[in-house]
Amino acid sequence: MKKFRKVVMVVMVAMMAMAALAGCGGKDSTPEIVGTWSVSELEASGVSISVEEYAKQLGQGEDAIKMDLTCKEDKSFSMDMAGQKTEGTWKEKDGKFVLTVDGEDQEVSITDGKLVLEEATSGMKMTMKKK
């Protein structure tokens, strides 16, 4: 019986050590916002249009209205909107993300793999997909 207890104790100690080590050294998961996002759809006054269709209506190529957002793990981001570039920082807050440029905040949400940036005063909405 003593031998059985000794075996059980050894197994339990080994399991506890494995459980403790499983939590060590692992990196936190990368936030969903990290990566490069490209605008795929625009919406204004309840009317949605794809970037491709919008470019066609303007008689422009898609590159003329290209809009990309690149968020890095160091909590910085850069945005290129048709050649106009800006940089800022991002943070996670209440399950959403906040982009900050020159002290001004813009909240964005990610749902079903799509990042949505909505401008509150105009009601304009941009939907972005990860590249």
Side-chain angles (χ1 to χ4, degrees):
M1 191 68 154
K2 275 188 174 185
K3 190 173 184 178
F4 177 73
R5 277 192 241 175
K6 195 180 248 183
V7 170
V8 169
M9 289 299 288
V10 169
V11 170
M12 287 178 65
V13 168
M15 289 175 63
M16 288 171 49
M18 287 189 324
L21 290 174
C24 292
K27 187 177 177 186
D28 292 338
S29 63
T30 302
E32 191 175 11
I33 197 168
V34 172
T36 298
W37 301 81
S38 186
V39 172
S40 60
E41 187 177 313
L42 302 167
E43 181 180 325
S45 302
V47 177
S48 295
I49 188 168
S50 71
V51 171
E52 296 87 9
E53 188 60 35
Y54 185 61
K56 283 180 191 175
Q57 287 184 3
L58 293 175
Q60 300 285 323
E62 285 182 54
D63 286 344
I65 59 169
K66 176 182 163 189
M67 292 176 254
D68 288 333
L69 169 69
T70 301
C71 296
K72 299 177 184 172
E73 285 193 65
D74 68 359
K75 299 207 175 193
S76 68
F77 77 86
S78 59
M79 186 175 240
D80 182 348
M81 299 179 77
Q84 296 289 331
K85 297 181 181 185
T86 189
E87 294 182 348
T89 59
W90 65 267
K91 65 183 174 186
E92 195 166 358
K93 182 180 176 188
D94 301 327
K96 294 188 178 192
F97 296 93
V98 178
L99 306 177
T100 304
V101 175
D102 297 329
E104 292 189 36
D105 292 342
Q106 174 65 55
E107 192 173 274
V108 298
S109 59
I110 300 175
T111 306
D112 298 328
K114 295 178 182 178
L115 184 144
V116 178
L117 186 150
E118 187 170 0
E119 211 289 309
T121 55
S122 69
M124 178 107 173
K125 189 186 292 188
M126 288 191 299
T127 301
M128 305 178 100
K129 290 184 180 177
K130 205 175 244 187
K131 285 185 168 184

